[in-house]
Amino acid sequence: MTATLRPAGASAPAGRRRARRRPPAVLAVPATLAAALALLPLGYLAVRALENGPGYAWDVLAAERTVELLARSLGLTATVVTLCLLLGVSLAWLTVRTALPAPRLWTVLATLPLAVPSYVAAFAWVSALPGLAGFTGATLALTLACFPYVYLPTAAALRRVDPAQEEAARSLGLGAWRVFARITLPQLRPAAAGGGLLVALYVLSDFGAVSIMRYETFTRAIHTSYRASFDRTPAAVLSCLLVVLTVLLVVGENRSRGRAGHARTGSGTARPPLRLGLGRWTAPALAWCTAVAAAAVAFPLATLGYWIAVGNSATWEPGRLWDAVQNTVTVAGLGALATVLLALPVGVIAARYRGRTARLLEQAAYAGHALPGITVALALVFFSVRYAYPLYQQLPLLVVAYVVLFLPLAVSATRSAVLQAPPVLEDAARSLGRRPLQVLREVTVPLAAPGVAAGAALTFVVIMKELPATLLLRPTGMDTLATRLWAETTVSAYAAAAPYAAALILVAAVPAYLLGRHRS
Amino acid sequence: MKSEPARRARLRTLAAVAAAAVVLPAAAACGSDNGDGGKDGKGEKNNSLVVYSGRDEALVAPLLKDLEKETGLKVEVRYGDTAELAAQILEEGDRTKAGLFFAQDGGALGALSKEGVLDKLPQKSLDKVDAKYRGGKDDWVGVSGRSRVVIYNTDKVAEKDLPKSVHELTDAKWKGKVGYAPTNASFHAFVTAMRVSEGEKKTRDWLTAFKANSPKVYEKNGAVRDGVDAGEASLGLINHYYWFEKRKEVGEDKLNSKLHFLPGSDPGALVNVAGVGVLKGGQSEAGRKAVDFLLGKDAQTYFAKETSEYPLVAGVTSPVEGLPALNTLGGPDIDLSELDSLEKTLELLKDVGMV
């Protein structure tokens, strides 16, 4: 007989959670450090926002234009998140739970868009269809770039759903759709909502796609303020507002999680879920998957190929390209490693402990995630020049910047991986006399390892594509694929830029492919 | 299954890496507190120079190689966006690593000049360039010039219908047909020039009327050019060399656009500069050497050839085909150093709702 923890009300898990309100020091100390690091930019923003007096800051905040920007940013965010949920959940369901032909191929294809930088995708679209510029184009480019953030956790959650529950529901007379709506969907909610949150924060912080699509948002206004006025106060004030938005979104997502437990209890392991025959729906399902893959992956790649073919600015510099590849892999590797290490304690605490401290730690990790890269980069310039000068424009500082920028990606992966591991195993280890650190490394981490590795792969891909912070903080003279791509496109030598863009996508495709193959 | 000791060893390694990641920055931070100024990277050696370049690498890198060869300086370059680098220099304050700032436009140099982080340049260097093309406080100098122009789509606009002034662009016949990049620094410089030469009120009226004429908004000059070339817009406001770059890239026969240089003292014919300033500190001597190199005949000719920009030093003429001579260009009669009143321009642009 199998059983899963029932949502809210099952007294045993709730009682156990209450008993463990306070995380042990071995988790709390590094988690606090990670949170403090993530909060650094906020300190800088406070300094800059108020340096010309609160009156000026208020003027910027109260301007009519700020409200308008807020509405535009939120409108774009809501639209992109909705579309990403639609794409992500539908593809996850098709690839995991139906008899779609070649499910592995589609799984990988649904993950690969992660490897395409949103500015490359936006550029490909707007150069082919200039009429797209504006809200439509920004929505299109961002949706296609971001839906894997929903797809990946949702597909993983779908694989974990114990078919026994669905079978029970079927046997009690529910039809396939109602089983999906009443049994499956609620179990997907935390995963999809977590993915949706990451999408929302990405959209809020994105500069590349919205600037190419010429859609004015908060982040674009922040850039304009740096670029045009050399006045850092308005940028800082608008950034503070982004932080407030982020916190509201994170709190909202936290609430929507509810108190459901999702680990399987009981003996044995769950069977792999059943795949639903698609029958006459096979063709439309295949068409849908093909259309998404074509738009998100094939189209940008084809455009790059076209640029290489038509332009005569293409100068093939294999040595330079190889250098950039090596640098990119190095910084992304170090960045992903540091991010995951610091995210681990935060993720474990977020999954296992309740109470204000746990909540605050997780929210702190997210607080700066919607800030544009340029803001985070200037904050680190500010602090390192003053307090860590020997590190300034050195590799370690760049790695710290990546941690600050991308901590939430690894935290969310860790958190959901730990949630899957039954807490009873940890309790058993504790009752057998293991100390918290021993429990962590003998039970929690090994069980969550695949999920944590997936988080590392995701962080790796995202760091590869990062541009603004890399430009300001990299060691002088060091080039990554993203900075080379930027350098070539600023002189509008598309053909010369294309090999770097293609290399970026190909290298990023490796971890993205592994993510797609990853089975939780 | 892995043995217990092996797993422990692995965890220990992990823990050590994590500890190092945490401790190293902290240790370095402590170390910096008692650091003596001489070790701050700046002025380590007299013959090394760090350049922050807001100009594109493809344009500047070969030139700076020649600079190394000619002067024996060891040159390191950071490339970035001009304004972002200016912001970075301002955040760095007097601990900046930069010895020379190579900016895409006078506005950024003006902002640094205003904060007092630039060193005065020797008169002998300044004298090589017409006073029109350098900073008012003698702390920066233009090295190449670019003209604002009107680009037009040859299928959509006949030569005889071209406007003679930007003031005609508010006419109903151009409604929805003009492309521009309101957030672009070159556009801001143009508006500033109009403010300075024609006054606040006239500029505000023009901006309001221009915006009411539904111009198409683009991110950069390059996008405006592509938009006009593709026929999305009939006219566009850009810098002259963007068109020459595209001509190099795809060839003239594939272009559907041409340039129109506005005559007279129209602000739409402003000639702005890319320029350099030397940062105060240990690298200023090396910086001054670099300035002299950039104002030398070779570097000036290089700019003219590679970037299609105008050489600014007397006696060097541009070899670019189809480019009108610098002294035949129109443009408002203003002091370029007044273009640093960028903040007023931005307030104006914000007021009319353009940025």
Side-chain angles (χ1 to χ4, degrees):
Chain A
M1 166 102 199
T2 60
T4 53
L5 292 183
R6 292 293 302 150
S11 59
R16 195 160 47 233
R17 274 151 195 269
R18 248 197 306 280
R20 298 196 304 178
R21 286 184 79 97
R22 199 167 288 227
V26 62
L27 286 174
V29 172
T32 310
L33 185 94
L37 211 52
L39 289 178
L40 263 188
L42 273 58
Y44 164 78
L45 288 179
V47 172
R48 285 284 169 254
L50 296 174
E51 72 181 340
N52 292 325
Y56 183 41
W58 176 250
D59 286 348
V60 175
L61 205 58
E64 202 179 312
R65 173 145 182 79
T66 308
V67 181
E68 189 197 321
L69 284 173
L70 194 64
R72 293 174 73 95
S73 271
L74 288 178
L76 182 68
T77 306
T79 315
V80 173
V81 168
T82 310
L83 290 173
C84 281
L85 286 172
L86 188 75
L87 251 66
V89 173
S90 68
L91 289 177
W93 188 73
L94 283 172
T95 53
V96 177
R97 301 302 301 273
T98 70
L100 187 76
R104 286 218 163 166
L105 171 72
W106 298 115
T107 301
V108 170
L109 282 175
T111 317
L112 278 185
L114 273 183
V116 184
S118 56
Y119 44 85
V120 171
F123 204 82
W125 282 104
V126 85
S127 62
L129 300 164
L132 279 177
F135 182 80
T136 321
T139 304
L140 178 78
L142 287 167
T143 303
L144 292 175
C146 289
F147 80 85
Y149 286 121
V150 176
Y151 171 82
L152 283 170
T154 309
L158 267 174
R159 284 186 205 109
R160 296 195 298 271
V161 171
D162 191 334
Q165 273 191 13
E166 293 173 2
E167 282 158 22
R170 289 298 290 265
S171 75
L172 291 170
L174 290 189
W177 268 114
R178 292 177 70 192
V179 169
F180 180 76
R182 288 179 55 181
I183 307 293
T184 318
L185 210 52
Q187 301 199 52
L188 299 184
R189 201 180 64 178
L197 174 67
L198 293 178
V199 173
L201 298 182
Y202 186 98
V203 174
L204 284 176
S205 71
D206 177 76
F207 171 68
V210 292
S211 72
I212 289 166
M213 288 298 182
R214 307 199 289 279
Y215 185 72
E216 189 76 5
T217 61
F218 243 87
T219 298
R220 197 171 165 213
I222 290 170
H223 272 255
T224 305
S225 169
Y226 284 125
R227 289 206 170 153
S229 66
F230 307 101
D231 179 1
R232 288 157 289 168
T233 303
V237 173
L238 293 181
S239 299
C240 288
L241 212 52
L242 267 184
V243 173
V244 173
L245 268 184
T246 310
V247 171
L248 290 179
L249 280 171
V250 173
V251 169
E253 192 261 349
N254 252 312
R255 293 251 163 94
S256 84
R257 276 178 202 167
R259 282 160 186 271
H262 294 284
R264 178 190 158 87
T265 60
S267 59
T269 52
R271 275 177 289 117
L274 297 175
R275 285 180 180 273
L276 191 71
L278 281 170
R280 65 200 164 88
W281 289 101
T282 306
L286 279 175
W288 173 239
C289 294
T290 311
V292 175
V297 182
F299 178 75
L301 280 175
T303 308
L304 293 179
Y306 171 75
W307 284 337
I308 294 177
V310 297
N312 47 27
S313 72
T315 43
W316 182 238
E317 298 177 286
R320 193 152 204 202
L321 182 65
W322 179 238
D323 264 1
V325 168
Q326 282 177 314
N327 287 336
T328 306
V329 171
T330 308
V331 296
L334 290 173
L337 180 69
T339 309
V340 164
L341 283 178
L342 281 167
L344 193 64
V346 184
V348 173
I349 289 176
R352 286 291 187 251
Y353 299 90
R354 295 201 161 268
R356 196 183 293 163
T357 326
R359 234 177 21 240
L360 280 180
L361 279 176
E362 192 190 4
Q363 285 162 9
Y366 277 86
H369 195 49
L371 289 177
I374 174 78
T375 308
V376 173
L378 284 175
L380 286 169
V381 170
F382 177 88
F383 282 111
S384 58
V385 163
R386 279 165 184 74
Y387 307 111
Y389 195 68
L391 278 188
Y392 182 55
Q393 293 181 355
Q394 300 296 326
L395 194 56
L397 189 72
L398 187 58
V399 171
V400 170
Y402 292 141
V403 171
V404 175
L405 281 166
F406 302 123
L407 194 62
L409 296 179
V411 166
S412 101
T414 308
R415 185 184 145 271
S416 47
V418 173
L419 272 180
Q420 285 165 48
V424 285
L425 293 181
E426 291 164 15
D427 294 341
R430 280 294 270 151
S431 71
L432 291 169
R434 292 290 196 273
R435 314 219 16 98
L437 180 63
Q438 286 175 305
V439 174
L440 185 66
R441 69 186 199 209
E442 288 170 19
V443 180
T444 316
V445 171
L447 282 174
V452 175
L458 178 63
T459 317
F460 185 91
V461 174
V462 179
I463 291 176
M464 281 191 62
K465 300 186 287 181
E466 205 286 333
L467 181 63
T470 312
L471 269 182
L472 257 64
L473 297 173
R474 65 188 162 148
T476 299
M478 190 197 81
D479 269 320
T480 67
L481 287 170
T483 65
R484 287 301 318 151
L485 179 57
W486 168 84
E488 300 291 0
T489 45
T490 46
V491 286
S492 61
Y494 306 138
Y500 293 100
L504 185 58
I505 294 175
L506 287 178
V507 178
V510 176
Y513 172 78
L514 294 175
L515 268 173
R517 297 284 309 268
H518 163 69
R519 294 277 182 277
S520 4
Chain B
M1 198 175 213
K2 287 219 170 63
S3 71
E4 182 62 15
R7 197 156 66 197
R8 282 195 180 200
R10 205 180 48 194
L11 274 164
R12 215 172 290 140
T13 319
L14 270 181
V17 172
V22 171
V23 172
L24 280 180
C30 297
S32 78
D33 289 342
N34 53 13
D36 49 324
K39 269 168 71 182
D40 283 354
K42 203 151 120 171
E44 260 171 65
K45 285 164 256 146
N46 271 346
N47 67 338
S48 69
L49 177 69
V50 177
V51 180
Y52 279 21
S53 174
R55 305 227 60 192
D56 306 324
E57 181 172 358
L59 309 181
V60 171
L63 192 63
L64 293 180
K65 277 237 168 69
D66 289 348
L67 168 67
E68 280 194 321
K69 249 186 258 161
E70 191 151 308
T71 59
L73 289 170
K74 200 185 154 305
V75 181
E76 275 186 23
V77 201
R78 281 188 84 76
Y79 294 96
D81 172 83
T82 293
E84 284 174 11
L85 287 172
Q88 187 166 11
I89 291 174
L90 292 179
E91 288 300 356
E92 291 172 341
D94 50 13
R95 294 187 103 180
T96 184
K97 301 234 178 200
L100 185 80
F101 180 41
F102 198 163
Q104 185 85 290
D105 57 85
L109 286 160
L112 292 191
S113 169
K114 208 190 270 172
E115 297 283 327
V117 298
L118 297 179
D119 232 354
K120 270 215 163 36
L121 291 169
Q123 197 59 41
K124 150 170 99 55
S125 313
L126 293 167
D127 283 345
K128 289 185 188 161
V129 174
D130 192 321
K132 253 159 87 177
Y133 303 123
R134 57 193 206 217
K137 280 159 80 182
D138 288 345
D139 52 2
W140 64 267
V141 60
V143 296
S144 61
R146 53 186 186 266
S147 176
R148 290 293 289 175
V149 290
V150 171
I151 180 174
Y152 64 101
N153 185 297
T154 45
D155 297 335
K156 304 223 164 189
V157 187
E159 210 167 316
K160 64 177 170 53
D161 296 330
L162 286 168
K164 292 185 179 53
S165 157
V166 285
H167 289 286
E168 287 176 31
L169 298 179
T170 57
D171 194 291
K173 83 173 185 187
W174 300 115
K175 195 170 177 72
K177 291 181 175 167
V178 184
Y180 79 129
T183 62
N184 184 273
S186 306
F187 177 75
H188 297 157
F190 147 70
V191 176
T192 313
M194 188 189 277
R195 265 188 44 240
V196 172
S197 63
E198 302 185 353
E200 210 77 39
K201 164 139 191 356
K202 207 168 167 195
T203 308
R204 180 184 292 268
D205 291 347
W206 183 82
L207 286 169
T208 312
F210 182 70
K211 183 155 192 275
N213 219 13
S214 329
K216 285 197 154 66
V217 175
Y218 292 87
E219 181 63 23
K220 313 185 196 184
N221 280 312
V224 175
R225 170 201 62 202
D226 293 345
V228 172
D229 200 60
E232 266 173 76
S234 305
L235 300 179
L237 297 174
I238 61 170
N239 294 337
H240 79 272
Y241 60 88
Y242 284 93
W243 184 82
F244 288 97
E245 266 170 19
K246 183 89 173 181
R247 185 177 76 174
K248 244 188 245 172
E249 168 102 4
V250 298
E252 185 151 13
D253 49 334
K254 284 216 181 102
L255 284 174
N256 303 311
S257 56
K258 278 188 178 167
L259 293 189
H260 171 54
F261 289 77
L262 292 171
S265 62
D266 197 86
L270 170 75
V271 178
N272 198 359
V273 299
V276 288
V278 173
L279 278 299
K280 283 181 181 161
Q283 300 175 73
S284 49
E285 199 189 315
R288 283 194 289 271
K289 275 188 202 163
V291 171
D292 283 336
F293 171 81
L294 292 171
L295 297 177
K297 183 153 195 228
D298 290 349
Q300 289 287 306
T301 313
Y302 173 84
F303 274 115
K305 254 195 210 144
E306 292 296 315
T307 70
S308 312
E309 287 175 298
Y310 286 99
L312 292 181
V313 170
V316 187
T317 44
S318 172
V320 175
E321 206 183 308
L323 190 65
L326 183 64
N327 57 15
T328 66
L329 296 185
D333 188 20
I334 56 160
D335 181 352
L336 272 190
S337 56
E338 286 181 81
L339 292 183
D340 65 3
S341 59
L342 202 61
E343 283 185 32
K344 284 188 202 145
T345 301
L346 266 136
E347 270 165 39
L348 198 55
L349 290 172
K350 270 182 195 152
D351 279 355
V352 300
M354 260 185 192
V355 296

